[in-house]
Amino acid sequence: MSTHSHFHNTQVVILGGTSGLGRALALQLHQAQARVLVVARHADGLAKLQAEAPGILTLQGDISDKQQVYALAGSIQAQLPQIDTLFHVASTLGPTPLPLLLDTPCEDLEQVLTTNVMGPFRLTKALIPGMLLRQQGTVVTISSDAAVNAYPHWGAYSISKAALDHMTRLFAAELHTQGLHFWAIDPGDMRTPMHFAAVPDADPTQLKDPAQAATQLLNLLPRLRTGDPVRHSL
């Protein structure tokens, strides 16, 4: 496995890092001697992560709650004053089994958009001034093939990921001249609790290990340059 030496001594924030891809990223970046702060909603998941990798910093918070976001941003910056890379991994499907879009309550779509789009938008806005002052920094949003393909029953999630992709493109277009990089990464179908919640009968042997996806993502990022397409699939 790559040591991801590019991330040595960098300051990294991961939103949603207690399971699946977020957890794999946290552990690999910690192993690469990055200073890693993981934000997640559930204290027990954060405690388990710290027990496995004691040097990882943790912070409990919910980016879907707009009343928490700016206090959360202040707590993040108090621990990591010079953030190099921000990973938006936290995400929700909405209620499962996944309904047809026509049968999706408006309130459920609103909640998915609040978590998957508004949360990352608010927190990026709150954390980005430091990156702008230093004229360097990277923001990575986790996408999905559902952002570009119309899969029945995936409506709310698909809409949110399409919006997140385009938000990432807009940030990239507006801020690349100031030294900031924005990338939307589709890691592919992985063996994660979210995937099995959406597709309970999925064949695990046909799904990617989140650790493999994390390795691919961390190997890809240093090779990306301004002018490359903003969205990439692993």
Side-chain angles (χ1 to χ4, degrees):
M1 181 181 293
S2 167
T3 60
H4 309 307
S5 59
H6 178 81
F7 294 94
H8 180 74
N9 283 337
T10 62
Q11 297 189 6
V12 178
V13 177
I14 301 174
L15 278 298
T18 55
S19 68
L21 179 62
R23 180 178 179 278
L25 286 169
L27 292 173
Q28 290 187 28
L29 285 163
H30 176 66
Q31 187 179 36
Q33 297 185 320
R35 188 162 171 79
V36 179
L37 170 62
V38 170
V39 182
R41 288 181 298 168
H42 301 300
D44 55 345
L46 292 169
K48 289 177 183 177
L49 182 65
Q50 273 197 318
E52 184 169 353
I56 290 179
L57 303 171
T58 61
L59 190 60
Q60 186 177 6
D62 183 359
I63 64 167
S64 71
D65 181 355
K66 68 179 180 180
Q67 304 302 325
Q68 293 188 36
V69 169
Y70 296 105
L72 191 57
S75 298
I76 290 170
Q77 291 172 314
Q79 296 191 66
L80 296 184
Q82 295 190 350
I83 299 165
D84 297 291
T85 306
L86 171 63
F87 289 93
H88 285 295
V89 187
S91 190
T92 184
L93 290 167
T96 55
L98 297 176
L100 292 171
L101 184 58
L102 183 62
D103 297 328
T104 300
C106 296
E107 293 76 11
D108 289 347
L109 173 59
E110 182 178 36
Q111 182 57 39
V112 171
L113 291 171
T114 297
T115 301
N116 296 358
V117 183
M118 291 306 303
F121 178 65
R122 288 192 180 100
L123 194 63
T124 298
K125 279 172 58 70
L127 294 179
I128 217 169
M131 292 182 177
L132 288 170
L133 284 172
R134 300 194 317 275
Q135 294 199 315
Q136 64 179 39
T138 299
V139 179
V140 178
T141 55
I142 299 304
S143 185
S144 165
D145 62 340
V148 294
N149 296 312
Y151 297 127
H153 297 273
W154 287 76
Y157 181 79
S158 293
I159 291 167
S160 72
K161 288 298 182 179
L164 189 63
D165 272 9
H166 208 56
M167 183 181 80
T168 303
R169 292 187 188 98
L170 285 163
F171 272 134
E174 293 176 347
L175 298 176
H176 74 276
T177 59
Q178 299 183 61
L180 273 61
H181 301 284
F182 293 82
W183 307 111
I185 306 296
D186 174 7
D189 292 338
M190 298 176 291
R191 293 193 297 273
T192 64
M194 177 178 285
H195 190 88
F196 287 113
V199 189
D201 59 350
D203 180 355
T205 66
Q206 301 302 309
L207 301 174
K208 186 183 296 184
D209 185 339
Q212 178 190 0
T215 298
Q216 292 173 331
L217 193 163
L218 295 177
N219 285 338
L220 173 66
L221 284 184
R223 302 200 302 269
L224 297 176
R225 297 291 181 266
T226 299
D228 289 348
V230 170
R231 188 181 191 279
H232 294 265
S233 298
L234 300 179

